[in-house]
């Protein structure tokens, strides 16, 4: 598991999903969220920084298009809830959490780019529960790559990708990376 | 971590980038303080010792609160009722505390340089909470943070610092920090309370309080430090109030949206008039709230160096954290 001790060198091997494919995955997840919850009543979308947040905004945009409702979209920075802060030598940069509404009694859909060990989601759940008392929390991810270390599963998945631990999944979004898509790479050295 | 530092001893040796990174981090913690549960688990497992060899209410409370809001364990030490009154040296006190497994030491001491001495002999991170007449870096940082939150920038602002410059560690930390970030600082006060060669700090010395306030964006009013006063620096508190005290009348010379600051505790009616202290331009209570956020940022950034499990000191990631 990468510990944040150093930035790994990564060689990109193949593109798994192109920009169009990412758009379709986001659209499908948006429909599934509305279907599962019987509409958008009481829903709040919360993206885990950094890449979960632009994905959450896109899901909200899709829902606005086909359902005609604007859902609140929040951003969660889980840095202060990480379980490895004590084992890395450099404190990660914190960029702040911004949830635009009260989450008490709401159904929160937590959104991230990749689901891997589950530790990021664990941290996000802890932070959400400190922020309020949602009625329920669901999880949506673009890629589930396996290798869970704690018992967490996603409710909405764009694509299941079997990986080895030496591989890296890179979800790219226009807002941060200048392009859309998902590719698989390999750690060097 | 602030740069590659283990300690925060003063703003004089920080770069503008380091100061800015602390202020940016403090912003996140300011938001944490507004949450229903204003506490995050970031420093779980770490222990901080607050060593106060000199009286303090707000700084000690502020540090303790900051530590608790980050889930660190805290122990407090005050001179009265401690072994210091039995003749123990600073070195022995500190070494004993370190032997108890403390990771971060917050120290206030009447001797300038005491935190620097501790930083040299201890592996723990040392944070200067005020040393003699030298520096009070977290106060400087919280003042600058408050200015930046209020006015949106620091660069290009005119800041007046008024009062007892000579005895004021708050003034020194403010001057270092503000000038590094591009503000122009003007100071004024009784000439008996101006340090020699004060121009070397890169500040303008005004003839009097009125001249310093003229056109300023920020007025930071220092406390008359009755406990540090040697006899004869000024005739009486009444005269001080009349000649150097900041009144509503005097404040008219500043910009209309001037930010009025005071590090506390205030001597109302002496260096600051009642209606200025409680006036609409006063941010004195915001300074106190911001102080907790700024101290959380400093503790958080220094804590990376002091993990309980002796961890690697390898080269470290720059910006983004690796998510798992």
């Amino acid at each position: 598991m990468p510990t944040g001790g150093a930035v790994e060198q990564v060689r990109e091997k193949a593109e798994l999903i192109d920009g169009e494919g990412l758009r379709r995955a986001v659209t499908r997840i948006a429909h599934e969220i509305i279907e599962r919850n019987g509409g958008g009543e009481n829903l709040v979308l919360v993206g885990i920084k950094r890449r979960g947040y632009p994905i959450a905004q896109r899901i909200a945009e899709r829902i606005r298009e086909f359902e005609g409702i604007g859902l609140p979209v929040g951003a969660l920075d889980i840095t202060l809830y990480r379980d490895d802060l004590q084992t890395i030598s450099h404190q990660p940069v914190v960029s702040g959490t911004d949830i635009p509404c009260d989450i008490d009694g709401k159904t929160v859909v937590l959104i991230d780019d990749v689901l891997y060990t589950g530790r990021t989601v664990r941290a996000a759940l802890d932070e959400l529960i400190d922020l309020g008392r949602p009625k329920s929390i669901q999880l949506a991810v673009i890629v589930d790559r396996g290798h869970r270390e704690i018992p967490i599963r996603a409710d909405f998945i764009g694509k299941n990708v079997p990986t080895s631990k030496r591989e890296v999944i890179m979800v790219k979004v226009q807002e941060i990376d200048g392009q859309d898509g998902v590719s698989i790479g390999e750690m060097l050295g | 971590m602030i740069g590659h530092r283990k300690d925060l001893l003063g703003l004089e040796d920080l770069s503008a980038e380091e100061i800015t990174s602390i202020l940016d981090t403090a912003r996140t913690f300011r938001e944490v303080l507004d949450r229903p549960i204003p506490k995050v688990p970031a420093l779980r497992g770490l222990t901080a010792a607050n060593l106060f060899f000199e009286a303090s209410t707000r700084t000690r409370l502020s540090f303790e609160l900051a530590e608790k809001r980050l889930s660190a364990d805290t122990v407090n030490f005050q001179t009265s009722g401690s072994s210091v009154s039995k003749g123990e040296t600073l070195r022995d006190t500190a070494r004993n505390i370190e032997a108890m497994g403390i990771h971060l030491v917050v120290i206030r001491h009447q001797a300038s340089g005491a935190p620097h001495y501790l930083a040299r002999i201890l592996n723990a991170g040392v944070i200067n909470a005020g040393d003699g007449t030298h520096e009070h870096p977290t106060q400087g940082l919280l003042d600058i943070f408050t200015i930046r939150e209020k006015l949106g920038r620091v660069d290009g602002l005119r800041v007046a610092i008024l009062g007892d410059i000579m005895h004021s560690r708050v003034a020194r930390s403010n001057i270092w920090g503000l000038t590094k970030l591009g503000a122009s600082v003007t100071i004024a006060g009784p000439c008996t309370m101006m340090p020699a060669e004060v121009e070397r700090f890169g500040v303008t010395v005004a003839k009097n309080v009125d001249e310093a306030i003229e056109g300023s964006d920020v007025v930071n009013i220092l406390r008359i430090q009755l406990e540090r006063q040697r006899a004869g620096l000024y005739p009486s508190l009444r005269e001080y109030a009349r000649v150097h005290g900041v009144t509503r009348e005097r404040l008219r010379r500043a910009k209309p949206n001037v930010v009025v600051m005071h590090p506390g505790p205030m001597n109302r009616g002496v260096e600051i008039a009642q209606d200025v202290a409680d006036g609409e331009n006063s941010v004195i209570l915001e300074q106190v709230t911001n102080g907790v956020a700024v101290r959380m940022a400093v503790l958080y950034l220094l804590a990376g160096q002091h993990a309980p499990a002796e961890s690697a000191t390898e080269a470290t990631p720059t910006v983004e954290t690796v998510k798992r």
Side-chain angles (χ1 to χ4, degrees):
Chain A
M1 189 186 79
T3 59
V7 178
E8 285 86 2
Q9 291 290 314
V10 175
R11 183 175 60 87
E12 196 167 323
K13 288 198 295 190
E15 187 176 56
L16 299 173
I17 306 177
D18 62 9
E20 186 58 22
L22 183 64
R23 198 187 61 77
R24 285 197 202 101
V26 165
T27 305
R28 181 166 53 75
I29 291 171
H31 279 284
E32 285 176 2
I33 289 171
I34 292 301
E35 188 183 1
R36 165 85 64 93
N37 293 290
E41 188 87 359
N42 252 354
L43 280 184
V44 180
L45 306 183
V46 174
I48 301 177
K49 278 186 174 175
R50 289 166 71 203
R51 287 172 183 78
Y53 180 55
I55 293 165
Q57 287 175 309
R58 291 179 192 193
I59 292 173
E61 185 54 38
R62 282 311 108 71
I63 292 173
R64 191 191 333 272
E65 281 164 23
F66 64 74
E67 206 61 13
I69 49 168
L71 297 182
V73 181
L76 203 64
D77 175 0
I78 55 101
T79 309
L80 299 172
Y81 285 75
R82 287 175 64 142
D83 59 7
D84 60 354
L85 278 178
Q86 310 303 343
T87 61
I88 54 182
S89 60
H90 192 155
Q91 295 298 71
V93 172
V94 288
S95 60
T97 284
D98 180 20
I99 311 285
C101 62
D102 199 345
I103 58 169
D104 283 358
K106 303 278 171 60
T107 293
V108 174
V109 183
L110 203 54
I111 296 160
D112 205 2
D113 53 352
V114 180
L115 179 57
Y116 182 29
T117 63
R119 289 178 192 268
T120 299
V121 175
R122 193 282 308 163
L125 292 173
D126 280 357
E127 180 159 14
L128 273 183
I129 285 161
D130 277 356
L131 292 171
R133 189 177 185 285
K135 177 167 159 286
S136 66
I137 303 176
Q138 299 165 0
L139 176 64
V141 296
I142 297 296
V143 175
D144 181 349
R145 61 169 291 193
H147 302 288
R148 218 75 78 237
E149 291 172 1
I150 36 184
I152 277 171
R153 59 157 185 80
D155 300 273
F156 312 102
I157 299 167
K159 189 178 175 68
N160 281 296
V161 181
T163 57
S164 84
K165 287 192 167 193
R166 292 209 43 81
E167 287 170 320
V168 178
I169 297 291
M170 291 164 283
V171 172
K172 295 174 191 162
V173 290
Q174 191 74 42
E175 296 88 329
I176 295 171
D177 309 290
Q179 64 179 100
D180 281 348
V182 179
S183 45
I184 188 164
E186 200 172 33
M187 283 189 265
L188 301 173
Chain B
M1 175 158 53
I2 305 162
H4 284 272
R5 290 167 200 283
K6 126 179 140 59
D7 315 293
L8 176 69
L9 302 176
L11 298 191
E12 182 177 3
D13 36 54
L14 292 192
S15 68
E17 292 69 39
E18 288 173 315
I19 294 172
T20 304
S21 96
I22 299 171
L23 300 181
D24 291 344
T25 306
R27 217 156 190 204
T28 305
F29 289 114
R30 186 66 193 75
E31 177 269 315
V32 169
L33 293 177
D34 290 331
R35 293 183 187 181
I37 300 175
K39 182 167 176 147
V40 290
L43 296 198
R44 219 167 34 159
L46 291 181
T47 306
N50 303 311
L51 313 187
F52 279 73
F53 293 89
E54 199 182 68
S56 163
T57 307
R58 99 201 48 224
T59 304
R60 190 172 52 78
L61 281 179
S62 181
F63 266 110
E64 198 176 340
L65 206 51
E67 290 151 5
K68 294 197 155 136
R69 300 273 191 243
L70 288 167
S71 306
D73 294 315
T74 63
V75 286
N76 291 315
F77 164 98
Q78 272 145 311
T79 319
S80 57
S82 75
S83 305
V84 172
S85 50
K86 299 178 191 165
E88 192 179 44
T89 64
L90 175 60
R91 182 190 180 90
D92 284 337
T93 303
R95 285 238 121 123
N96 274 282
I97 286 167
E98 190 165 61
M100 295 175 195
I102 303 283
H103 309 98
L104 290 163
V105 173
V106 175
I107 176 176
R108 162 165 295 191
H109 201 283
Q110 61 279 9
S112 302
H116 304 67
Y117 172 69
L118 279 195
R120 280 197 306 275
I121 62 170
L122 296 182
N123 292 318
V126 176
I127 299 172
N128 181 359
D131 62 327
T133 59
H134 177 236
E135 279 222 47
H136 190 353
T138 56
Q139 179 73 41
L141 289 167
L142 79 89
D143 288 347
I144 299 168
F145 180 82
T146 306
I147 293 171
R148 203 173 72 152
E149 291 301 296
K150 275 312 221 203
L151 300 175
R153 67 194 169 105
V154 177
D155 188 32
L157 293 182
R158 295 202 38 172
V159 180
I161 301 178
L162 308 176
D164 180 359
I165 307 290
M166 183 159 70
H167 296 98
S168 177
R169 52 197 177 205
V170 175
R172 271 174 199 59
S173 290
N174 262 280
I175 290 169
W176 292 124
L178 287 166
T179 50
K180 276 172 206 239
L181 296 187
S184 69
V185 178
T186 305
I187 58 172
C191 53
T192 50
M193 297 178 179
M194 282 291 161
E197 296 185 57
V198 68
E199 295 82 2
R200 283 193 311 153
F201 287 118
V203 299
T204 310
V205 184
K207 282 203 297 293
N208 53 43
V209 170
D210 290 321
E211 189 183 297
I213 293 177
E214 192 73 50
S216 57
D217 299 285
V218 178
V219 173
N220 199 344
I221 305 160
L222 302 173
R223 184 172 66 89
I224 281 295
Q225 304 189 50
L226 300 167
E227 76 278 16
R228 249 183 261 283
Q229 229 42 261
R230 295 193 309 269
L233 290 181
Y234 56 87
S236 70
L237 288 179
R238 223 175 113 208
E239 177 167 328
Y240 188 93
R242 191 169 51 77
V243 181
H244 306 286
V246 177
T247 58
R248 196 167 266 266
E249 185 64 39
R250 288 209 157 110
L251 212 52
R252 290 215 183 91
R253 294 168 177 269
K255 297 221 175 107
N257 62 341
V258 62
V259 173
V260 175
M261 311 176 83
H262 190 297
M266 289 185 277
N267 299 304
R268 284 169 178 270
V270 185
E271 71 264 7
I272 184 166
Q274 289 282 9
D275 54 357
V276 173
D278 304 321
E280 64 276 18
N281 292 0
S282 163
V283 296
I284 294 167
L285 290 175
E286 282 168 61
Q287 285 175 269
V288 177
T289 313
N290 291 341
V292 179
V294 165
R295 291 180 175 114
M296 286 171 84
V298 169
L299 288 159
Y300 170 75
L301 291 168
L302 291 179
Q305 287 277 301
H306 305 284
E310 283 305 308
S311 68
T313 49
E314 60 190 282
T316 51
T318 44
V319 217
E320 215 185 335
T321 60
V322 180
K323 271 205 257 167
R324 303 124 305 156

